[in-house]
Amino acid sequence: MYKDNKILVVIPARGGSKGIPRKNIRLLGKKPLIAHTIEMGKASQYVDDLVVTTDDNEIKFISEKFEAQTIKRDGRLAEDSIPLDPVIYDATIKREEETGEKYDIVITVQPTSPLLKTKTLDLAIETLLTPNQENEYYDTIISVVDDRHLSWGYDEENKKYFPLYKERLNRQYLPKAYKETGSIFATKREFVCENSRLGEKIGLIEISKQESIDIDNYEDWWVAERILNKKKILIKADASHEIGTGHIYRGLSIASKLVNHEVIFLLDEAQPLGIDIVKNNNYPYITHNSDKGEGPEADDKAKEEIIEKIVEYGPDIIINDILNTNSKYTKSLRDKGFFIVDFEDVGGGVKYAHLIFDALYEHKIPLKNLYSGHKYYILKDEFYYQSFKKIDKEVKRILLTFGGTDPNNLTEKVLESVLESKYENDIEIILGLGYNRKEEIQEKYKDNERISIFENVKNMSEHMHNADLIFTSAGRTMYEIASLGVPCICLCQNERELTHIFGNTEHGFINLGLGSNLSKKTIIQTFENTIDDYELRLEMNKRMGEVDLRHGFDNIKKLIKKEYKKWKSEQSEN
């Protein structure tokens, strides 16, 4: 039905732009501004003919280089005071004379709308050629953007302002108010004349804020350039009682720093803890389900579903933070043309990743594109603006925090040891989202005034900074503590944490090894020695201060940018 109609797109582009001189032929990204609109229009499945009408020879030349037909308009039609109606009419008449065709639909598309998508243009055509809810056809379709705000008018006669709303409401509860974007003006040929392009029955299509950008000044240009350079980044991570919450929280830290890009999480429905955390932080996500049964065949099906979801979203960069990637999974993604970045990956997929970052594990195998050590740790935002700890002679408050799940219940083991020691001051405990003994520990110690128990805190840096000594496991929390300079005693949750070599005396930590093997006597003795030794705690603080943990994301970003650019160049050559 749609292809039975002859459709002409007209792009009006005069040379005398004032806000940004010669803007139509300036490079936006890697091509002239007008080229974005030409390519968008030519990619339509419905458009038969596309023509640029201009008074400028250089615009004419560049438009033809991008395979657009051109019409040289008379200088009178390029004056500032001339509206678009006679310009579009002139171009339509001349093109019909040149081709001998009679068009059914004429669409004006502005060259200053470089972010307009082909699918939006096609939607405008479909809307024009499809009966509406009243079973009538529109004569004209205009692109608009939702622009509702608490607006005010001004009465010139009485010299006073007045509200254009009935009651003050949050923006999302105001009635929709549409503003024309100028991006698309599609109309049936019979309504195109020298003084108008507007039919009697008007339809609107709402487009996104991004597509509605109309480049009129340098600020608009800057915004459009940033959007064009924006990447789609998919973060694959999960959280559960078994794997903890560190992978998800690192993903959130990365996402918070990528404000100029589009970030989405891919989460496992079978691990709802990760979904809850991402949802509570208001980031977008899509899901897959790894629960396909047992055995190699089930594992393959689960991986295939993940790959399908990734392909459907179509990211520019995939970030895997899943600890143990499968070589088949990573190779498949690489073969499909994705750029892959892995964090803390000890699986077989590392050999197919473009970059691997590992702050926890100091890899001994010299893998290409592997960067390990504390230089690549990403601090949560709140730690950047927290001051460095000044050590007091007396330990007045200790903090116990053993991650999101604390599978070995080191929290209670250390707490019992502390209570049996000579220490008599305050004790703070922070329980993670996945800690499964919350009710028991709260009930057991509810009457002890020295003990304060918190859950899922949003200001971890504040709690850490207020402590004089911290007990924690040998995971990512070590880096946060070191960034603040708080003396710390580490107990490893498992064999894997024994390989996290950052938590050592060189960096200001006392590491007691595997927590499940420790006796209370050892914990008490170490604890008492530490609180009694002011000089030791000063030295621990000093050594932590010598470690630069504030540039991890910058170091990672630099490398990703460099390798991604190199990879894209290789892709284009091939």
Side-chain angles (χ1 to χ4, degrees), residues 109-159:
V109 178
Q110 293 284 10
T112 51
S113 300
L115 303 177
L116 190 66
K117 296 175 181 174
T118 300
K119 66 179 182 181
T120 306
L121 175 61
D122 285 347
L123 175 63
I125 294 167
E126 291 165 4
T127 306
L128 188 62
L129 295 174
T130 304
N132 59 25
Q133 291 179 336
E134 285 74 40
N135 206 31
E136 295 180 334
Y137 287 89
Y138 293 117
D139 298 323
T140 302
I141 296 294
I142 299 171
S143 62
V144 296
V145 65
D146 185 357
D147 194 43
R148 51 187 142 171
H149 289 94
L150 291 171
S151 303
W152 290 73
Y154 184 68
D155 183 343
E156 290 282 356
E157 186 176 337
N158 296 307
K159 306 297 181 188

Side-chain angles (χ1 to χ4, degrees), residues 45-184:
Q45 59 182 314
Y46 305 128
V47 172
D48 297 288
D49 201 359
L50 182 146
V51 65
V52 173
T53 169
T54 184
D55 63 318
D56 186 276
N57 285 331
E58 196 172 2
I59 292 175
K60 181 177 184 297
F61 170 76
I62 287 173
S63 297
E64 288 170 355
K65 283 292 179 185
F66 284 88
E67 300 181 355
Q69 300 298 319
T70 58
I71 287 174
K72 192 72 184 299
R73 72 172 108 144
D74 152 328
R76 179 184 59 83
L77 290 176
E79 294 173 4
D80 290 344
S81 59
I82 298 297
L84 275 179
D85 296 326
V87 174
I88 303 305
Y89 176 72
D90 173 73
T92 303
I93 291 294
K94 286 179 177 174
R95 191 63 187 153
E96 286 179 335
E97 288 173 354
E98 284 178 4
T99 62
E101 295 280 1
K102 182 73 174 177
Y103 296 103
D104 300 296
I105 294 169
V106 177
I107 304 173
T108 309
V109 178
Q110 293 284 10
T112 51
S113 300
L115 303 177
L116 190 66
K117 296 175 181 174
T118 300
K119 66 179 182 181
T120 306
L121 175 61
D122 285 347
L123 175 63
I125 294 167
E126 291 165 4
T127 306
L128 188 62
L129 295 174
T130 304
N132 59 25
Q133 291 179 336
E134 285 74 40
N135 206 31
E136 295 180 334
Y137 287 89
Y138 293 117
D139 298 323
T140 302
I141 296 294
I142 299 171
S143 62
V144 296
V145 65
D146 185 357
D147 194 43
R148 51 187 142 171
H149 289 94
L150 291 171
S151 303
W152 290 73
Y154 184 68
D155 183 343
E156 290 282 356
E157 186 176 337
N158 296 307
K159 306 297 181 188
K160 60 189 237 181
Y161 298 99
F162 60 90
L164 298 175
Y165 55 85
K166 292 180 180 178
E167 60 177 319
R168 295 188 70 83
L169 298 169
N170 288 340
R171 184 181 179 277
Q172 63 267 35
Y173 298 115
L174 291 170
K176 287 197 171 188
Y178 294 116
K179 179 179 77 174
E180 286 191 34
T181 67
S183 308
I184 298 174

Side-chain angles (χ1 to χ4, degrees), residues 361-565:
Y361 305 97
E362 297 279 0
H363 290 250
K364 292 183 172 60
I365 302 171
L367 288 171
K368 185 183 178 185
N369 295 334
L370 168 65
Y371 298 87
S372 61
H374 68 266
K375 286 202 305 184
Y376 305 102
Y377 183 77
I378 302 171
L379 275 176
K380 293 177 188 173
D381 291 350
E382 62 176 297
F383 288 88
Y384 284 93
Y385 50 79
Q386 191 62 260
S387 60
F388 199 69
K389 180 75 177 179
K390 182 179 178 182
I391 304 301
D392 292 327
K393 286 192 175 181
E394 183 184 358
V395 174
K396 297 176 182 176
R397 177 180 295 168
I398 68 165
L399 171 65
L400 279 58
T401 174
F402 285 93
T405 58
D406 188 13
N408 295 297
N409 197 20
L410 297 179
T411 300
E412 196 159 10
K413 183 171 187 174
V414 171
L415 177 58
E416 289 173 354
S417 302
V418 169
L419 290 173
E420 291 176 22
S421 74
K422 67 180 183 180
Y423 177 74
E424 295 179 346
N425 293 329
D426 293 340
I427 303 167
E428 272 194 8
I429 301 169
I430 295 178
L431 305 176
L433 273 176
Y435 183 65
N436 59 12
R437 294 174 57 84
K438 290 176 187 175
E439 292 180 7
E440 294 96 318
I441 199 169
Q442 286 167 340
E443 179 63 28
K444 187 173 179 180
Y445 298 102
K446 66 180 181 181
D447 297 324
N448 192 321
E449 294 180 357
R450 295 169 58 201
I451 300 173
S452 302
I453 299 177
F454 301 90
E455 294 181 56
N456 191 29
V457 300
K458 298 296 183 185
N459 58 336
M460 178 64 90
S461 64
E462 194 74 16
H463 286 273
M464 288 182 174
H465 190 272
N466 290 339
D468 297 302
L469 179 68
I470 299 176
F471 280 93
T472 191
S473 49
R476 299 167 190 85
T477 306
M478 296 186 299
Y479 298 92
E480 296 169 353
I481 293 167
S483 76
L484 303 178
V486 184
C488 178
I489 299 172
C490 292
L491 285 75
C492 299
Q493 289 278 9
N494 47 47
E495 295 284 344
R496 192 179 71 244
E497 284 196 357
L498 291 172
T499 67
H500 298 176
I501 65 172
F502 179 75
N504 60 34
T505 54
E506 180 189 349
H507 298 135
F509 292 88
I510 296 172
N511 194 324
L512 297 180
L514 202 60
S516 56
N517 290 348
L518 289 172
S519 66
K520 286 184 184 178
K521 182 180 177 182
T522 301
I523 296 172
I524 292 169
Q525 187 177 6
T526 305
F527 175 52
E528 290 181 344
N529 288 343
T530 307
I531 61 176
D532 286 343
D533 195 337
Y534 173 58
E535 294 300 324
L536 170 63
R537 286 183 284 112
L538 278 177
E539 182 63 24
M540 293 169 78
N541 170 268
K542 175 177 171 289
R543 292 189 182 192
M544 288 179 177
E546 291 168 352
V547 182
D548 179 10
L549 289 165
R550 294 181 178 257
H551 295 91
F553 181 76
D554 295 332
N555 295 335
I556 288 169
K557 184 180 175 183
K558 247 179 241 178
L559 284 165
I560 291 177
K561 196 172 180 180
K562 174 187 168 187
E563 291 300 319
Y564 182 80
K565 187 176 179 181

Side-chain angles (χ1 to χ4, degrees), residues 186-225:
T187 196
K188 291 179 179 173
R189 172 65 180 89
E190 62 210 76
F191 297 103
V192 178
C193 58
E194 198 163 2
N195 300 312
S196 177
R197 292 166 291 149
L198 203 60
E200 295 175 4
K201 295 171 185 171
I202 313 297
L204 304 179
I205 59 162
E206 186 178 346
I207 67 175
S208 67
K209 291 274 187 188
Q210 180 174 305
E211 286 187 88
S212 74
I213 287 175
D214 177 36
I215 296 184
D216 188 49
N217 52 48
Y218 288 104
E219 288 77 14
D220 299 331
W221 189 283
W222 182 83
V223 171
E225 202 153 48

Side-chain angles (χ1 to χ4, degrees), residues 247 250 323 342-346 357-361 476:
H247 302 284
R250 177 169 36 230
L323 190 62
D342 288 357
F343 280 87
E344 282 174 29
D345 190 357
V346 294
F357 296 103
D358 202 334
L360 285 176
Y361 305 97
R476 299 167 190 85

